[in-house]
């Protein structure tokens, strides 16, 4: 199984927006994006690298969309 790339929240956000997701709202440091029936929550801490499980969920959401 290939390794998951290391992404910051800003990089993940760019990928989601490019894939057609729209920003719905934010609560605290979490931003919620949606496309169709799929919803993705991205913890937005500036400069911090996202956890591999979060990155995996984001990539799976982009593939399904």
């Amino acid at each position: 199984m290939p390794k998951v790339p290391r992404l910051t929240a800003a990089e993940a956000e760019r990928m989601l927006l490019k894939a057609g997701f729209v920003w719905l709202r934010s609560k605290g440091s979490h931003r919620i994006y949606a496309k169709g029936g799929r919803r993705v929550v991205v913890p937005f801490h500036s400069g911090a690298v996202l956890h591999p499980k979060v990155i995996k969920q984001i990539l799976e959401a982009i593939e399904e969309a």
Side-chain angles (χ1 to χ4, degrees):
M1 181 197 276
K3 287 183 117 177
V4 178
R6 294 174 54 91
L7 297 174
T8 62
E11 293 168 337
E13 180 183 40
R14 275 194 300 273
M15 290 174 63
L16 287 167
L17 294 175
K18 188 175 178 181
F21 282 78
V22 292
W23 176 76
L24 290 179
R25 62 188 175 93
S26 61
K27 184 171 184 178
S29 61
H30 292 75
R31 294 186 184 177
I32 294 103
Y33 301 89
K35 180 178 179 184
R38 184 73 170 167
R39 190 178 62 153
V40 180
V41 179
V42 178
F44 220 88
H45 304 285
S46 63
V49 176
L50 296 174
H51 192 278
K53 288 183 181 180
V54 174
I55 296 171
K56 186 177 177 185
Q57 290 173 347
I58 292 168
L59 294 176
E60 287 173 355
I62 290 172
E63 286 179 6
E64 289 178 6

Tab-separated table of all heavy atoms in Angstrom:
chain	number	residue	atom	x	y	z
A	1	MET	N	0.840	-1.164	0.000
A	1	MET	CA	0.000	0.000	0.000
A	1	MET	C	0.894	1.238	0.000
A	1	MET	O	1.814	1.343	0.793
A	1	MET	CB	-0.890	-0.003	1.245
A	1	MET	CG	-1.801	1.192	1.244
A	1	MET	SD	-2.530	1.591	2.799
A	1	MET	CE	-3.923	0.629	2.994
A	2	PRO	N	0.623	2.209	-0.912
A	2	PRO	CA	1.470	3.399	-0.966
A	2	PRO	C	1.280	4.293	0.250
A	2	PRO	O	0.227	4.295	0.885
A	2	PRO	CB	1.013	4.100	-2.238
A	2	PRO	CG	-0.356	3.604	-2.488
A	2	PRO	CD	-0.404	2.214	-1.925
A	3	LYS	N	2.323	5.048	0.548
A	3	LYS	CA	2.247	5.972	1.673
A	3	LYS	C	1.326	7.141	1.333
A	3	LYS	O	1.239	7.565	0.189
A	3	LYS	CB	3.633	6.512	2.005
A	3	LYS	CG	4.537	5.523	2.680
A	3	LYS	CD	5.831	6.188	3.023
A	3	LYS	CE	5.986	6.196	4.511
A	3	LYS	NZ	7.247	6.766	4.956
A	4	VAL	N	0.676	7.663	2.345
A	4	VAL	CA	-0.194	8.824	2.184
A	4	VAL	C	0.690	10.068	2.153
A	4	VAL	O	1.605	10.199	2.967
A	4	VAL	CB	-1.199	8.899	3.355
A	4	VAL	CG1	-2.072	10.122	3.241
A	4	VAL	CG2	-2.035	7.641	3.419
A	5	PRO	N	0.444	10.984	1.201
A	5	PRO	CA	1.277	12.195	1.144
A	5	PRO	C	1.065	13.080	2.368
A	5	PRO	O	0.003	13.060	2.987
A	5	PRO	CB	0.795	12.898	-0.125
A	5	PRO	CG	-0.582	12.398	-0.331
A	5	PRO	CD	-0.594	10.996	0.200
A	6	ARG	N	2.069	13.857	2.705
A	6	ARG	CA	1.960	14.797	3.824
A	6	ARG	C	1.376	16.094	3.277
A	6	ARG	O	1.925	16.676	2.345
A	6	ARG	CB	3.333	15.034	4.441
A	6	ARG	CG	3.892	13.776	5.091
A	6	ARG	CD	5.310	13.952	5.579
A	6	ARG	NE	5.479	15.081	6.473
A	6	ARG	CZ	5.380	15.026	7.802
A	6	ARG	NH1	5.102	13.874	8.370
A	6	ARG	NH2	5.565	16.085	8.546
A	7	LEU	N	0.253	16.516	3.845
A	7	LEU	CA	-0.424	17.721	3.387
A	7	LEU	C	-0.720	18.650	4.554
A	7	LEU	O	-0.996	18.184	5.660
A	7	LEU	CB	-1.768	17.376	2.722
A	7	LEU	CG	-1.771	16.533	1.470
A	7	LEU	CD1	-3.200	16.208	1.079
A	7	LEU	CD2	-1.086	17.269	0.342
A	8	THR	N	-0.686	19.940	4.276
A	8	THR	CA	-1.175	20.913	5.254
A	8	THR	C	-2.658	21.144	4.949
A	8	THR	O	-3.171	20.721	3.909
A	8	THR	CB	-0.419	22.242	5.152
A	8	THR	OG1	-0.644	22.798	3.864
A	8	THR	CG2	1.068	22.055	5.406
A	9	ALA	N	-3.334	21.840	5.837
A	9	ALA	CA	-4.754	22.109	5.645
A	9	ALA	C	-4.982	22.971	4.398
A	9	ALA	O	-5.942	22.759	3.659
A	9	ALA	CB	-5.326	22.780	6.878
A	10	ALA	N	-4.097	23.923	4.142
A	10	ALA	CA	-4.247	24.794	2.971
A	10	ALA	C	-4.123	23.995	1.672
A	10	ALA	O	-4.876	24.225	0.717
A	10	ALA	CB	-3.209	25.906	3.004
A	11	GLU	N	-3.201	23.036	1.634
A	11	GLU	CA	-3.042	22.194	0.445
A	11	GLU	C	-4.268	21.305	0.247
A	11	GLU	O	-4.750	21.132	-0.875
A	11	GLU	CB	-1.786	21.340	0.570
A	11	GLU	CG	-0.500	22.137	0.552
A	11	GLU	CD	0.712	21.320	0.961
A	11	GLU	OE1	0.562	20.300	1.658
A	11	GLU	OE2	1.827	21.731	0.577
A	12	ALA	N	-4.793	20.757	1.340
A	12	ALA	CA	-5.985	19.918	1.257
A	12	ALA	C	-7.175	20.746	0.791
A	12	ALA	O	-7.987	20.276	-0.011
A	12	ALA	CB	-6.273	19.280	2.608
A	13	GLU	N	-7.283	21.977	1.277
A	13	GLU	CA	-8.374	22.855	0.870
A	13	GLU	C	-8.314	23.132	-0.632
A	13	GLU	O	-9.333	23.082	-1.319
A	13	GLU	CB	-8.303	24.167	1.641
A	13	GLU	CG	-9.402	25.146	1.265
A	13	GLU	CD	-9.275	26.471	1.980
A	13	GLU	OE1	-8.137	26.961	2.134
A	13	GLU	OE2	-10.321	26.996	2.382
A	14	ARG	N	-7.122	23.409	-1.159
A	14	ARG	CA	-6.975	23.650	-2.598
A	14	ARG	C	-7.425	22.434	-3.404
A	14	ARG	O	-8.091	22.571	-4.431
A	14	ARG	CB	-5.528	23.993	-2.935
A	14	ARG	CG	-5.195	25.451	-2.751
A	14	ARG	CD	-3.870	25.822	-3.406
A	14	ARG	NE	-2.727	25.096	-2.878
A	14	ARG	CZ	-2.022	25.468	-1.817
A	14	ARG	NH1	-2.359	26.563	-1.162
A	14	ARG	NH2	-0.988	24.768	-1.416
A	15	MET	N	-7.058	21.231	-2.945
A	15	MET	CA	-7.450	20.008	-3.644
A	15	MET	C	-8.965	19.838	-3.645
A	15	MET	O	-9.555	19.474	-4.666
A	15	MET	CB	-6.788	18.791	-2.995
A	15	MET	CG	-5.298	18.714	-3.201
A	15	MET	SD	-4.521	17.370	-2.277
A	15	MET	CE	-5.305	15.956	-3.021
A	16	LEU	N	-9.603	20.103	-2.503
A	16	LEU	CA	-11.050	19.961	-2.399
A	16	LEU	C	-11.775	20.956	-3.307
A	16	LEU	O	-12.722	20.594	-4.008
A	16	LEU	CB	-11.508	20.140	-0.951
A	16	LEU	CG	-11.194	18.984	-0.008
A	16	LEU	CD1	-11.412	19.406	1.438
A	16	LEU	CD2	-12.055	17.777	-0.347
A	17	LEU	N	-11.339	22.206	-3.294
A	17	LEU	CA	-11.986	23.225	-4.120
A	17	LEU	C	-11.807	22.924	-5.605
A	17	LEU	O	-12.727	23.115	-6.402
A	17	LEU	CB	-11.441	24.613	-3.774
A	17	LEU	CG	-11.780	25.111	-2.367
A	17	LEU	CD1	-11.078	26.437	-2.093
A	17	LEU	CD2	-13.282	25.233	-2.170
A	18	LYS	N	-10.631	22.423	-5.983
A	18	LYS	CA	-10.369	22.069	-7.377
A	18	LYS	C	-11.247	20.893	-7.818
A	18	LYS	O	-11.650	20.813	-8.975
A	18	LYS	CB	-8.890	21.721	-7.557
A	18	LYS	CG	-8.476	21.539	-8.985
A	18	LYS	CD	-6.990	21.321	-9.106
A	18	LYS	CE	-6.597	21.102	-10.547
A	18	LYS	NZ	-5.164	20.856	-10.689
A	19	ALA	N	-11.588	20.005	-6.867
A	19	ALA	CA	-12.424	18.843	-7.168
A	19	ALA	C	-13.915	19.187	-7.183
A	19	ALA	O	-14.742	18.319	-7.429
A	19	ALA	CB	-12.158	17.730	-6.153
A	20	GLY	N	-14.259	20.442	-6.894
A	20	GLY	CA	-15.658	20.848	-6.966
A	20	GLY	C	-16.376	20.938	-5.640
A	20	GLY	O	-17.580	21.194	-5.598
A	21	PHE	N	-15.671	20.744	-4.536
A	21	PHE	CA	-16.290	20.885	-3.222
A	21	PHE	C	-16.487	22.367	-2.935
A	21	PHE	O	-15.736	23.210	-3.428
A	21	PHE	CB	-15.411	20.257	-2.137
A	21	PHE	CG	-15.506	18.763	-2.073
A	21	PHE	CD1	-14.831	17.965	-2.982
A	21	PHE	CD2	-16.277	18.142	-1.101
A	21	PHE	CE1	-14.918	16.593	-2.922
A	21	PHE	CE2	-16.366	16.766	-1.032
A	21	PHE	CZ	-15.690	15.998	-1.955
A	22	VAL	N	-17.511	22.679	-2.147
A	22	VAL	CA	-17.765	24.071	-1.759
A	22	VAL	C	-17.654	24.190	-0.248
A	22	VAL	O	-17.990	23.260	0.489
A	22	VAL	CB	-19.147	24.564	-2.231
A	22	VAL	CG1	-19.197	24.671	-3.730
A	22	VAL	CG2	-20.248	23.691	-1.711
A	23	TRP	N	-17.177	25.358	0.194
A	23	TRP	CA	-17.054	25.624	1.621
A	23	TRP	C	-18.437	25.929	2.171
A	23	TRP	O	-19.134	26.816	1.693
A	23	TRP	CB	-16.108	26.801	1.837
A	23	TRP	CG	-15.966	27.222	3.249
A	23	TRP	CD1	-15.244	26.589	4.195
A	23	TRP	CD2	-16.545	28.356	3.877
A	23	TRP	NE1	-15.338	27.256	5.383
A	23	TRP	CE2	-16.139	28.356	5.220
A	23	TRP	CE3	-17.371	29.365	3.435
A	23	TRP	CZ2	-16.526	29.327	6.114
A	23	TRP	CZ3	-17.765	30.340	4.329
A	23	TRP	CH2	-17.339	30.315	5.655
A	24	LEU	N	-18.880	25.139	3.165
A	24	LEU	CA	-20.192	25.349	3.771
A	24	LEU	C	-20.116	26.293	4.951
A	24	LEU	O	-20.817	27.299	5.012
A	24	LEU	CB	-20.782	24.018	4.255
A	24	LEU	CG	-21.226	23.014	3.204
A	24	LEU	CD1	-21.753	21.764	3.879
A	24	LEU	CD2	-22.286	23.626	2.320
A	25	ARG	N	-19.283	25.942	5.915
A	25	ARG	CA	-19.203	26.724	7.145
A	25	ARG	C	-17.940	26.339	7.882
A	25	ARG	O	-17.225	25.428	7.477
A	25	ARG	CB	-20.416	26.473	8.028
A	25	ARG	CG	-20.542	25.031	8.480
A	25	ARG	CD	-21.867	24.773	9.195
A	25	ARG	NE	-22.009	23.372	9.516
A	25	ARG	CZ	-21.644	22.825	10.666
A	25	ARG	NH1	-21.110	23.557	11.606
A	25	ARG	NH2	-21.809	21.549	10.885
A	26	SER	N	-17.677	27.040	8.967
A	26	SER	CA	-16.569	26.674	9.836
A	26	SER	C	-17.033	26.771	11.276
A	26	SER	O	-17.947	27.529	11.606
A	26	SER	CB	-15.361	27.585	9.602
A	26	SER	OG	-15.688	28.914	9.892
A	27	LYS	N	-16.419	25.975	12.106
A	27	LYS	CA	-16.722	25.986	13.532
A	27	LYS	C	-15.395	25.827	14.256
A	27	LYS	O	-14.761	24.771	14.171
A	27	LYS	CB	-17.694	24.871	13.893
A	27	LYS	CG	-18.115	24.916	15.350
A	27	LYS	CD	-19.240	23.955	15.637
A	27	LYS	CE	-19.669	24.138	17.081
A	27	LYS	NZ	-20.788	23.274	17.415
A	28	GLY	N	-14.967	26.868	14.914
A	28	GLY	CA	-13.662	26.823	15.558
A	28	GLY	C	-12.584	26.749	14.495
A	28	GLY	O	-12.550	27.556	13.573
A	29	SER	N	-11.727	25.775	14.598
A	29	SER	CA	-10.637	25.625	13.636
A	29	SER	C	-10.935	24.540	12.602
A	29	SER	O	-10.029	24.043	11.950
A	29	SER	CB	-9.344	25.284	14.372
A	29	SER	OG	-9.502	24.066	15.065
A	30	HIS	N	-12.196	24.160	12.448
A	30	HIS	CA	-12.570	23.140	11.482
A	30	HIS	C	-13.412	23.759	10.373
A	30	HIS	O	-14.352	24.508	10.653
A	30	HIS	CB	-13.361	22.017	12.161
A	30	HIS	CG	-12.531	21.211	13.095
A	30	HIS	ND1	-12.149	21.685	14.325
A	30	HIS	CD2	-11.989	19.984	12.974
A	30	HIS	CE1	-11.409	20.752	14.933
A	30	HIS	NE2	-11.283	19.724	14.125
A	31	ARG	N	-13.078	23.424	9.135
A	31	ARG	CA	-13.832	23.910	7.981
A	31	ARG	C	-14.547	22.737	7.341
A	31	ARG	O	-13.963	21.664	7.169
A	31	ARG	CB	-12.908	24.573	6.974
A	31	ARG	CG	-12.278	25.836	7.519
A	31	ARG	CD	-11.480	26.547	6.467
A	31	ARG	NE	-10.810	27.716	7.051
A	31	ARG	CZ	-9.990	28.494	6.381
A	31	ARG	NH1	-9.734	28.260	5.114
A	31	ARG	NH2	-9.433	29.521	6.975
A	32	ILE	N	-15.803	22.945	6.974
A	32	ILE	CA	-16.637	21.886	6.420
A	32	ILE	C	-16.884	22.180	4.945
A	32	ILE	O	-17.314	23.285	4.593
A	32	ILE	CB	-17.964	21.771	7.194
A	32	ILE	CG1	-17.688	21.318	8.628
A	32	ILE	CG2	-18.881	20.742	6.538
A	32	ILE	CD1	-17.768	22.364	9.640
A	33	TYR	N	-16.598	21.192	4.102
A	33	TYR	CA	-16.785	21.283	2.661
A	33	TYR	C	-17.751	20.194	2.235
A	33	TYR	O	-17.809	19.131	2.844
A	33	TYR	CB	-15.456	21.094	1.925
A	33	TYR	CG	-14.423	22.112	2.305
A	33	TYR	CD1	-13.556	21.896	3.362
A	33	TYR	CD2	-14.324	23.314	1.621
A	33	TYR	CE1	-12.620	22.846	3.734
A	33	TYR	CE2	-13.386	24.268	1.981
A	33	TYR	CZ	-12.546	24.023	3.034
A	33	TYR	OH	-11.625	24.964	3.392
A	34	ALA	N	-18.509	20.453	1.150
A	34	ALA	CA	-19.470	19.465	0.672
A	34	ALA	C	-19.550	19.483	-0.838
A	34	ALA	O	-19.293	20.502	-1.488
A	34	ALA	CB	-20.844	19.740	1.260
A	35	LYS	N	-19.921	18.324	-1.370
A	35	LYS	CA	-20.205	18.173	-2.793
A	35	LYS	C	-21.210	17.044	-2.901
A	35	LYS	O	-20.920	15.908	-2.520
A	35	LYS	CB	-18.943	17.845	-3.583
A	35	LYS	CG	-19.205	17.689	-5.077
A	35	LYS	CD	-17.935	17.409	-5.831
A	35	LYS	CE	-18.226	17.242	-7.307
A	35	LYS	NZ	-17.019	16.882	-8.049
A	36	GLY	N	-22.384	17.354	-3.413
A	36	GLY	CA	-23.441	16.348	-3.466
A	36	GLY	C	-23.820	15.941	-2.059
A	36	GLY	O	-24.081	16.772	-1.210
A	37	GLY	N	-23.827	14.659	-1.785
A	37	GLY	CA	-24.147	14.166	-0.455
A	37	GLY	C	-22.919	13.919	0.406
A	37	GLY	O	-23.036	13.463	1.537
A	38	ARG	N	-21.742	14.210	-0.115
A	38	ARG	CA	-20.491	13.938	0.601
A	38	ARG	C	-20.035	15.174	1.367
A	38	ARG	O	-20.005	16.279	0.815
A	38	ARG	CB	-19.425	13.536	-0.416
A	38	ARG	CG	-18.119	13.146	0.161
A	38	ARG	CD	-18.185	11.804	0.814
A	38	ARG	NE	-16.843	11.400	1.144
A	38	ARG	CZ	-16.549	10.406	1.936
A	38	ARG	NH1	-17.496	9.680	2.434
A	38	ARG	NH2	-15.311	10.103	2.205
A	39	ARG	N	-19.684	15.009	2.636
A	39	ARG	CA	-19.221	16.115	3.474
A	39	ARG	C	-17.850	15.773	4.040
A	39	ARG	O	-17.616	14.637	4.461
A	39	ARG	CB	-20.215	16.340	4.605
A	39	ARG	CG	-19.968	17.583	5.378
A	39	ARG	CD	-21.014	17.760	6.428
A	39	ARG	NE	-20.918	16.623	7.348
A	39	ARG	CZ	-21.291	16.660	8.616
A	39	ARG	NH1	-21.836	17.737	9.100
A	39	ARG	NH2	-21.153	15.614	9.390
A	40	VAL	N	-16.954	16.757	4.048
A	40	VAL	CA	-15.590	16.555	4.540
A	40	VAL	C	-15.262	17.661	5.542
A	40	VAL	O	-15.519	18.835	5.282
A	40	VAL	CB	-14.563	16.600	3.379
A	40	VAL	CG1	-13.162	16.397	3.901
A	40	VAL	CG2	-14.892	15.567	2.329
A	41	VAL	N	-14.703	17.276	6.673
A	41	VAL	CA	-14.284	18.228	7.694
A	41	VAL	C	-12.759	18.262	7.716
A	41	VAL	O	-12.109	17.224	7.833
A	41	VAL	CB	-14.825	17.831	9.083
A	41	VAL	CG1	-14.359	18.816	10.134
A	41	VAL	CG2	-16.331	17.725	9.061
A	42	VAL	N	-12.202	19.475	7.598
A	42	VAL	CA	-10.747	19.643	7.589
A	42	VAL	C	-10.348	20.472	8.811
A	42	VAL	O	-10.771	21.616	8.946
A	42	VAL	CB	-10.277	20.360	6.301
A	42	VAL	CG1	-8.770	20.557	6.334
A	42	VAL	CG2	-10.697	19.587	5.076
A	43	PRO	N	-9.531	19.903	9.712
A	43	PRO	CA	-9.019	20.696	10.829
A	43	PRO	C	-7.988	21.700	10.299
A	43	PRO	O	-7.030	21.305	9.649
A	43	PRO	CB	-8.380	19.665	11.754
A	43	PRO	CG	-8.136	18.470	10.909
A	43	PRO	CD	-9.106	18.518	9.778
A	44	PHE	N	-8.218	22.983	10.527
A	44	PHE	CA	-7.406	24.020	9.914
A	44	PHE	C	-6.505	24.675	10.949
A	44	PHE	O	-6.885	25.652	11.587
A	44	PHE	CB	-8.313	25.063	9.261
A	44	PHE	CG	-7.801	25.550	7.953
A	44	PHE	CD1	-8.133	24.890	6.793
A	44	PHE	CD2	-6.972	26.655	7.882
A	44	PHE	CE1	-7.659	25.326	5.574
A	44	PHE	CE2	-6.488	27.099	6.674
A	44	PHE	CZ	-6.836	26.436	5.511
A	45	HIS	N	-5.302	24.137	11.122
A	45	HIS	CA	-4.291	24.698	12.009
A	45	HIS	C	-3.130	25.115	11.119
A	45	HIS	O	-2.500	24.270	10.493
A	45	HIS	CB	-3.834	23.672	13.047
A	45	HIS	CG	-4.957	23.127	13.854
A	45	HIS	ND1	-5.572	23.833	14.854
A	45	HIS	CD2	-5.614	21.937	13.792
A	45	HIS	CE1	-6.534	23.115	15.393
A	45	HIS	NE2	-6.586	21.956	14.758
A	46	SER	N	-2.862	26.403	11.048
A	46	SER	CA	-1.905	26.924	10.076
A	46	SER	C	-0.524	26.292	10.223
A	46	SER	O	0.046	26.257	11.308
A	46	SER	CB	-1.786	28.445	10.205
A	46	SER	OG	-1.291	28.775	11.473
A	47	GLY	N	-0.020	25.788	9.103
A	47	GLY	CA	1.326	25.228	9.059
A	47	GLY	C	1.451	23.805	9.549
A	47	GLY	O	2.467	23.161	9.308
A	48	ALA	N	0.452	23.282	10.234
A	48	ALA	CA	0.536	21.921	10.776
A	48	ALA	C	0.193	20.903	9.690
A	48	ALA	O	-0.682	21.135	8.855
A	48	ALA	CB	-0.415	21.761	11.951
A	49	VAL	N	0.877	19.781	9.712
A	49	VAL	CA	0.609	18.702	8.767
A	49	VAL	C	-0.569	17.888	9.302
A	49	VAL	O	-0.637	17.571	10.493
A	49	VAL	CB	1.862	17.807	8.599
A	49	VAL	CG1	1.570	16.628	7.712
A	49	VAL	CG2	3.013	18.625	8.044
A	50	LEU	N	-1.502	17.574	8.409
A	50	LEU	CA	-2.683	16.810	8.805
A	50	LEU	C	-2.320	15.366	9.140
A	50	LEU	O	-1.357	14.815	8.603
A	50	LEU	CB	-3.713	16.822	7.674
A	50	LEU	CG	-4.307	18.175	7.318
A	50	LEU	CD1	-5.195	18.042	6.091
A	50	LEU	CD2	-5.095	18.739	8.474
A	51	HIS	N	-3.130	14.760	9.989
A	51	HIS	CA	-2.943	13.360	10.359
A	51	HIS	C	-3.199	12.487	9.129
A	51	HIS	O	-4.093	12.783	8.329
A	51	HIS	CB	-3.925	13.002	11.482
A	51	HIS	CG	-3.643	11.690	12.124
A	51	HIS	ND1	-4.057	10.505	11.572
A	51	HIS	CD2	-2.983	11.382	13.251
A	51	HIS	CE1	-3.667	9.503	12.349
A	51	HIS	NE2	-3.009	10.023	13.384
A	52	PRO	N	-2.453	11.397	8.950
A	52	PRO	CA	-2.637	10.533	7.778
A	52	PRO	C	-4.074	10.023	7.607
A	52	PRO	O	-4.541	9.874	6.477
A	52	PRO	CB	-1.669	9.376	8.030
A	52	PRO	CG	-0.611	9.964	8.884
A	52	PRO	CD	-1.293	10.980	9.750
A	53	LYS	N	-4.785	9.764	8.691
A	53	LYS	CA	-6.173	9.293	8.569
A	53	LYS	C	-7.069	10.373	7.976
A	53	LYS	O	-7.965	10.082	7.190
A	53	LYS	CB	-6.715	8.853	9.931
A	53	LYS	CG	-6.122	7.557	10.411
A	53	LYS	CD	-6.744	7.134	11.725
A	53	LYS	CE	-6.137	5.833	12.216
A	53	LYS	NZ	-6.728	5.398	13.479
A	54	VAL	N	-6.827	11.621	8.346
A	54	VAL	CA	-7.614	12.735	7.795
A	54	VAL	C	-7.311	12.888	6.309
A	54	VAL	O	-8.224	13.079	5.493
A	54	VAL	CB	-7.315	14.043	8.563
A	54	VAL	CG1	-8.017	15.226	7.918
A	54	VAL	CG2	-7.711	13.912	10.018
A	55	ILE	N	-6.043	12.799	5.950
A	55	ILE	CA	-5.645	12.912	4.540
A	55	ILE	C	-6.284	11.800	3.727
A	55	ILE	O	-6.793	12.033	2.625
A	55	ILE	CB	-4.110	12.882	4.402
A	55	ILE	CG1	-3.509	14.102	5.092
A	55	ILE	CG2	-3.696	12.838	2.940
A	55	ILE	CD1	-2.007	14.081	5.210
A	56	LYS	N	-6.307	10.598	4.268
A	56	LYS	CA	-6.908	9.460	3.577
A	56	LYS	C	-8.399	9.697	3.335
A	56	LYS	O	-8.911	9.426	2.250
A	56	LYS	CB	-6.693	8.183	4.392
A	56	LYS	CG	-7.163	6.939	3.692
A	56	LYS	CD	-6.858	5.701	4.505
A	56	LYS	CE	-7.410	4.475	3.808
A	56	LYS	NZ	-7.243	3.266	4.610
A	57	GLN	N	-9.108	10.247	4.328
A	57	GLN	CA	-10.530	10.539	4.171
A	57	GLN	C	-10.751	11.595	3.090
A	57	GLN	O	-11.687	11.489	2.298
A	57	GLN	CB	-11.121	11.031	5.490
A	57	GLN	CG	-11.221	9.959	6.545
A	57	GLN	CD	-11.652	10.521	7.891
A	57	GLN	OE1	-11.647	11.723	8.103
A	57	GLN	NE2	-12.008	9.632	8.804
A	58	ILE	N	-9.890	12.601	3.047
A	58	ILE	CA	-10.015	13.653	2.047
A	58	ILE	C	-9.793	13.082	0.636
A	58	ILE	O	-10.560	13.356	-0.283
A	58	ILE	CB	-9.034	14.795	2.330
A	58	ILE	CG1	-9.445	15.523	3.613
A	58	ILE	CG2	-8.937	15.766	1.163
A	58	ILE	CD1	-8.422	16.488	4.158
A	59	LEU	N	-8.755	12.287	0.476
A	59	LEU	CA	-8.460	11.701	-0.831
A	59	LEU	C	-9.573	10.761	-1.305
A	59	LEU	O	-9.933	10.742	-2.471
A	59	LEU	CB	-7.114	10.974	-0.791
A	59	LEU	CG	-5.886	11.858	-0.582
A	59	LEU	CD1	-4.633	11.012	-0.451
A	59	LEU	CD2	-5.755	12.864	-1.707
A	60	GLU	N	-10.150	9.989	-0.370
A	60	GLU	CA	-11.261	9.104	-0.718
A	60	GLU	C	-12.482	9.907	-1.150
A	60	GLU	O	-13.191	9.531	-2.086
A	60	GLU	CB	-11.615	8.186	0.457
A	60	GLU	CG	-10.598	7.098	0.691
A	60	GLU	CD	-10.868	6.285	1.955
A	60	GLU	OE1	-11.814	6.631	2.703
A	60	GLU	OE2	-10.140	5.313	2.182
A	61	ALA	N	-12.746	11.021	-0.472
A	61	ALA	CA	-13.888	11.875	-0.826
A	61	ALA	C	-13.698	12.467	-2.225
A	61	ALA	O	-14.656	12.551	-2.999
A	61	ALA	CB	-14.059	12.976	0.200
A	62	ILE	N	-12.463	12.862	-2.550
A	62	ILE	CA	-12.194	13.436	-3.860
A	62	ILE	C	-12.369	12.372	-4.947
A	62	ILE	O	-12.923	12.642	-6.012
A	62	ILE	CB	-10.781	14.052	-3.907
A	62	ILE	CG1	-10.755	15.310	-3.041
A	62	ILE	CG2	-10.358	14.378	-5.324
A	62	ILE	CD1	-9.386	15.903	-2.833
A	63	GLU	N	-11.927	11.146	-4.684
A	63	GLU	CA	-12.060	10.071	-5.671
A	63	GLU	C	-13.520	9.730	-5.929
A	63	GLU	O	-13.904	9.430	-7.052
A	63	GLU	CB	-11.325	8.829	-5.187
A	63	GLU	CG	-9.829	8.927	-5.284
A	63	GLU	CD	-9.127	7.685	-4.766
A	63	GLU	OE1	-9.802	6.701	-4.427
A	63	GLU	OE2	-7.895	7.714	-4.683
A	64	GLU	N	-14.362	9.753	-4.869
A	64	GLU	CA	-15.770	9.414	-5.022
A	64	GLU	C	-16.538	10.517	-5.742
A	64	GLU	O	-17.554	10.250	-6.367
A	64	GLU	CB	-16.410	9.188	-3.651
A	64	GLU	CG	-15.955	7.929	-2.981
A	64	GLU	CD	-16.566	7.747	-1.597
A	64	GLU	OE1	-17.440	8.560	-1.223
A	64	GLU	OE2	-16.170	6.810	-0.900
A	65	ALA	N	-16.063	11.742	-5.620
A	65	ALA	CA	-16.797	12.889	-6.203
A	65	ALA	C	-16.624	12.972	-7.704
A	65	ALA	O	-15.866	12.442	-8.358
A	65	ALA	CB	-16.324	14.183	-5.559
